Amino acid sequence: MTDTADAREADRALKAKHRTMWALGDYPAVAREVVSALGPVLVEACGVERGDLVLDVAAGSGNAAVPAALAGGVVVASDLTPELLEVGRREAAARGAELRWQEADAEALPFADGAFDTVMSCVGVMFAPHHQQTADELLRVCRPGGTIGLVNWTPEGFIGQMFATMKPYAPPPPPGAQPPPLWGREEHVRTLLGDGVSGFEARRGTVRVDHFGSPEEFRTFFKATYGPTIAVYRNIADDPGKTADLDRALDELAGGALRDGAMEWEYLLVTARRGGAAAG
């Protein structure tokens, strides 16, 4: 097998692993019950209007795609994990939102150059392993003058710290994969988008999470619903000591963040205008 064929096979295996991870548990419950406010924030920042062609990349169950459709956008919700899209279809129908759902890899989007007025992602593309490849695809499918909008968890915020807490218990990342919270650093996103955009704007915000009354409630919920957390616990399932250590570490993290029954989870919101040149 050639080096190129080896690389393709390794990429297919990695994507299959990601697809399986996000199908674990019940991520739509996280999107619906915990961070539902993030989608409308992104849609408003992108200025989605009636008739706009909108692509939501790594859309999950449609946290941003559904609000974009309800705002009048002609929306395609794409994600690597078909199980999430199926939940999104049902939830969108219940809310009276019409949009198209399509399985797609954020690093190799099956759409034409410049096909969309708005290309956005809400805590989605940050989990694709190869950041520059992903950014190049966001640029490629956005028309010149169109809008690129992103919401990503910051490294310093609660979810970024949760990933840092889980890291010692997780299997090592595959070669070439970059940490998701890097997308929460303004300078990293600026570098990724480069001269493919103009009018780059970034600001930090927080989403208020009042779903958990105690650290244990948070830990129990995320162990049951959130794919990355489930995958880490499965990695140490044969080591009760490590499992107990991670339980304590997550409880400590959540306990430090809870104030009067609520947490503030920090994110970076980026919007930019697509330039006229083709993505490199």
Side-chain angles (χ1 to χ4, degrees), residues 47-61:
V48 174
E49 297 180 346
R50 184 164 300 281
D52 286 351
L53 302 179
V54 180
L55 175 65
D56 187 2
V57 185
S61 53

Side-chain angles (χ1 to χ4, degrees), residues 25-89:
D26 187 3
Y27 180 75
V30 179
R32 181 177 59 250
E33 300 173 25
V34 182
V35 295
S36 61
L38 286 178
V41 166
L42 180 57
V43 171
E44 181 178 1
C46 289
V48 174
E49 297 180 346
R50 184 164 300 281
D52 286 351
L53 302 179
V54 180
L55 175 65
D56 187 2
V57 185
S61 53
N63 192 0
V66 172
L70 292 174
V74 180
V75 180
V76 177
S78 67
D79 198 274
L80 187 66
T81 304
E83 291 88 345
L84 300 182
L85 298 177
E86 192 54 43
V87 174
R89 284 189 185 93

Side-chain angles (χ1 to χ4, degrees), residues 37 159 198:
I159 295 297
S198 62

